[in-house]
Each structure stands twice: as C-alpha cells, then as structure tokens.
Amino acid sequence: MKCGLLGRKLGHSYSPQIHNALGDYPYKLFEVEPEHLEMFLQSADFTGLNVTIPYKKAVLPYCATLSKTAQRLGAVNTLVRKKDGTLIGHNTDYFGFASMLQRSNLDVQNKKVLVLGSGGASNTAVAVLQELGANVIVISRSGENNYDNLHLHGDTSVIVNATPVGMYPHVGVSPIELNLFPKLEGVLDLIYNPARTKLLLDAEAKGLITENGLWMLVAQAKESAEWFIGSKISNNRIPVIHKGLRCQMENIILIGMPGCGKSTVGALLGEALGRPVVDADKAIEEAAGCTIPEIFARGTEVEFRQIETAVLSDLSKQSGLIIATGGGCVTREENYPLLHQNGTIVWIKRDLRKLATEGRPLSQVTKMEDMFKIRKPMYEQFADLTVSNDGTPEETASRVLALLEQGEAQ
Ligand code: NAP
C-alpha cells in the first residue's frame, strides 16, 4: 500500500503524522504542478491519496466513480485506486466538519448560521449545516450577503469561518466584528494554525463556544484512512491523535515577576518535553543588538516594551516552543492575544523575598512590593494556569506538566 497527499505547495503538513498514527502504510507528500496532474494521476504509484488545494475539483474528471458525498459537494479530497487502475473519489471533509460541529456541542437546528467564504470548505460546511436543519447564510465578498450588510443578520447564533483570514503567517486579523451579533452562541474556525485566530480569541473573550479546525483535520483523515485500508477505524482514535497534535503545536508560555525562575523552570520543561526553549529577554537583546540594561540606559521603558512586543509577536506565531517571558510583558494588553493565540500561559509565582534581582534594571529601581501590586491583576488576567515556585524548580516543572496534562484531558 502506498498513500500520500496531493497538492501544489504543501509546505509543512501534519497529514503524514496523522496517517502514521492511523495506520501502517507509507504516506508521502506529492507536490504536482497543474500541467503534470493528468500524468501523475495516470501513472504515479499510489493506492490512496488525499487531495488538497488546488486540486479538489480538478481531480473530478479523472474519477471513474464518485461517492455520493463527493458528487453532492462537487469536490474530492480522497482518491482510492481500484485493482483495475481506475480511481474512486470520496469527500471526507464532510465527516470532518460534522465531527467538529458535534464536538463543539452547538445545536444548529432552526438557528441562523453564517458561513464566511464561498470556497470548497464553505460548501462542505453548508451541506453539513443544512442537513442538520440550520438556516445557513453564506457571506461572500461578492455575494448578495456580504461584509457590508452584516447588520441584516443580528439574529445569528453560530459563525463558521471558511476563509483563510487570520491564518499563519497573517495572524491577528479577523474577517468579522462579533459585536454585531448579540445572540451569538459559538464560533467555529476551520483554521488550526494559529490554534486561536483573532476571530476565536474575540469569541473566547465573549465567553462563547469556540473550536478550531484541528479536530476536522484529524477526523477527515480518519475517514480517508478507512477508505485506504478498506476497514473501519474507531472514532476513539480522533481525540487521541487530536490531543497529541494539540500538545505538540501549542507553545508553553511562562510569565511572572522578574527573578521568579521562569528561565530555570523553562529549561527543565524543555528537557522533559524535548522542546526548544526561548528566553524572550535574550531574543530582545539579539533583536536590539545590545543588552537590556543598555536598552534602558539609551532610551525609555516604552521603547523597550515596543521591541519586546515585536519579539513576542514573532515568537508566539511559532508552534511547540517554551517561551520564558520578561516579567513586565503583561503590562501591555496587546501582548495577551499574541501569547495566547498559540499557547497556554503559565504564571510562575514566587515569594517576593525570594526573587533574584541581579542585572534587572526595573527590579533595582522599583520596590518589588509596589511592582507586584500593580502587576498582580495583569498576571491574573493573562494566566491560564498558576503554579507556585516556592519549592525547587524541579517540583515546579513537574506541577506545570501535571496541570498541562490535566488541561489537555478536558
Ligand atoms: P478556498 O476554496 O480558497 O475558499 C476560501 C474562500 O474564502 C474564498 O472562496 C473566498 O470567498 C474567501 N476568501 C478568500 N480570501 C479572502 C479574504 N482575503 N477576505 C475574505 N474572504 C476571503 O479555500 P478552502 O479550501 O475553502 O479553505 C478555506 C479555509 O478553510 C482555509 O483556511 C483552509 O485552510 C481551511 N480548511 C481547513 C480544513 C480542516 O480540515 N481544518 C479543511 C479544508 C479547509 P469569497 O470570495 O466568496 O469571499
């Protein structure tokens, strides 16, 4: 058996990792230019293929048979070669989105659902939602329902983003302003990198149900794998693979007072998880070309904070890092969405009398107690988890790992 993913530009894909977890078959990436598509489909040595942008429609004429779902959606994301050499086209994105919606626990029956975008993923979402009895409105930049007449849809219950707006590396932008929808219950975003797009961060801030596209990615792969191997795979594999990927992709971000042990605990976490550890203060020094005391000696704290935000913006777009931040990063509200988009934020709390102060410009000029009084509510606001570091750093690192594990289990 030989399987893989067909697309034009695949970059970093999680599909090989997901399929390796789903079955015992080799899975390769095939980047093919449009003029070579026909030749590839006719002569390449494969048993099963996933199909992605821009070929989900382009492969239709090469399929001798189409599944009902592929026919209905007019798109194929899974090809299986039969013994006689002909191709069957399936669409497992339908199952993927249905599974994502089910995980969110959002009830869409008789509710208004806005689906943003009118491409392939939008078609899939619309089909699933209509099947479940939703009143679906597609918002398209060029459609009758568009971003200029959203006020017509104030009674919307659920929004589904099926556009690429907010996707890595163009993070921090949202296709829609949520304040327009007072009855909104939840937002689903088909994007999974970053884990929380600006749209999902905005929804989370309003206390709405949110879900990103990682579950859909895993669920569609599960159904594809069933077509490849010709037998059923338990749905219980989906949460297991999803959890593994989510852990691997999310950053762990340590915040806390200067000298509270973020770098030491960060290094221990890096060792335990085999992950790269980045000290944000060192990254700032590299970016500025001088030490932090020199930055302060040359300019104001505001200038330092600007460099810090730019550095955190670059770091937190990445995945799978452990980031030990500077103590004052919480003083800028705009750092929160940057850090949270891809990360779990852990507040490392230490008795003020135990804080190390050497080489820390702000710690020397401001009394720690005064600084803590100001920053405490900011740490509380940023933190997803809080861990005391009054014992040994090893104990703290173990507690962080245990809490992360608990969080992932939910
Ligand atoms: P697509 O066929 O290119 O469609 C995207 C649609 O988004 C376009 O038709 C367009 O609709 C709208 N759009 C594009 N650029 C936009 C912009 N700058 N501003 C506003 N709207 C814009 O892509 P797709 O295959 O449907 O994928 C859409 C998204 O879903 C992508 O982010 C993709 O990664 C994600 N996806 C995720 C999964 C998963 O398993 N999680 C599966 C499939 C797709 P209008 O022209 O009508 O506005």
Side-chain angles (χ1 to χ4, degrees), residues 64-274:
T65 324
L66 288 176
S67 71
K68 271 193 189 150
T69 316
Q71 217 163 3
R72 178 174 168 199
L73 295 173
V76 160
N77 80 330
T78 304
L79 287 171
V80 177
R81 200 188 290 286
K82 291 208 299 188
K83 285 210 173 82
D84 65 5
T86 60
L87 295 173
I88 308 179
H90 299 276
N91 190 311
T92 69
D93 281 336
Y94 185 95
F95 170 75
F97 180 73
S99 181
M100 172 183 175
L101 182 59
Q102 189 182 23
R103 174 178 155 87
S104 75
N105 275 328
L106 285 164
D107 176 10
V108 296
Q109 192 175 24
N110 299 324
K111 306 253 181 83
K112 186 180 269 193
V113 180
L114 297 191
V115 177
L116 313 181
S118 64
S122 164
N123 284 348
T124 307
V126 170
V128 171
L129 290 160
Q130 282 177 340
E131 186 79 27
L132 293 170
N135 167 19
V136 185
I137 308 284
V138 173
I139 303 295
S140 163
R141 289 167 299 177
S142 55
E144 182 192 340
N145 291 297
N146 54 58
Y147 297 90
D148 293 326
N149 60 21
L150 290 169
H151 58 275
L152 300 176
H153 307 297
D155 53 343
T156 296
S157 299
V158 176
I159 293 176
V160 178
N161 180 32
T163 80
V165 179
M167 187 161 70
Y168 177 86
H170 307 293
V171 300
V173 284
S174 170
I176 206 161
E177 167 53 59
L178 296 183
N179 286 334
L180 294 166
F181 310 101
K183 292 188 174 164
L184 203 57
E185 295 168 35
V187 178
L188 308 180
D189 199 326
L190 270 47
I191 294 170
Y192 50 85
N193 185 14
R196 297 169 198 85
T197 54
K198 167 135 179 30
L199 178 68
L200 289 190
L201 287 167
D202 290 349
E204 203 179 84
K206 288 182 175 295
L208 303 174
I209 292 175
T210 60
E211 186 68 40
N212 73 23
L214 189 60
W215 188 277
M216 176 174 173
L217 182 76
V218 177
Q220 64 76 28
K222 192 221 71 150
E223 202 191 38
S224 293
E226 291 176 341
W227 290 119
F228 294 162
I229 62 177
S231 61
K232 282 277 170 201
I233 298 171
S234 165
N235 279 344
N236 295 339
R237 297 294 300 145
I238 300 171
V240 175
I241 297 171
H242 177 260
K243 177 183 165 183
L245 277 174
R246 204 170 80 172
C247 290
Q248 175 193 324
M249 289 161 83
E250 282 230 334
N251 296 321
I252 300 170
I253 293 146
L254 306 181
I255 58 168
M257 287 288 280
C260 70
K262 298 178 293 271
S263 302
T264 314
V265 173
L268 289 166
L269 291 173
E271 214 172 284
L273 296 169

Side-chain angles (χ1 to χ4, degrees), residues 284-285 288-300 303-304 307:
I284 291 167
E285 291 184 335
C290 62
T291 66
I292 289 179
E294 282 165 356
I295 301 175
F296 274 90
R298 276 199 322 223
T300 62
E303 282 155 358
F304 168 76
I307 305 172

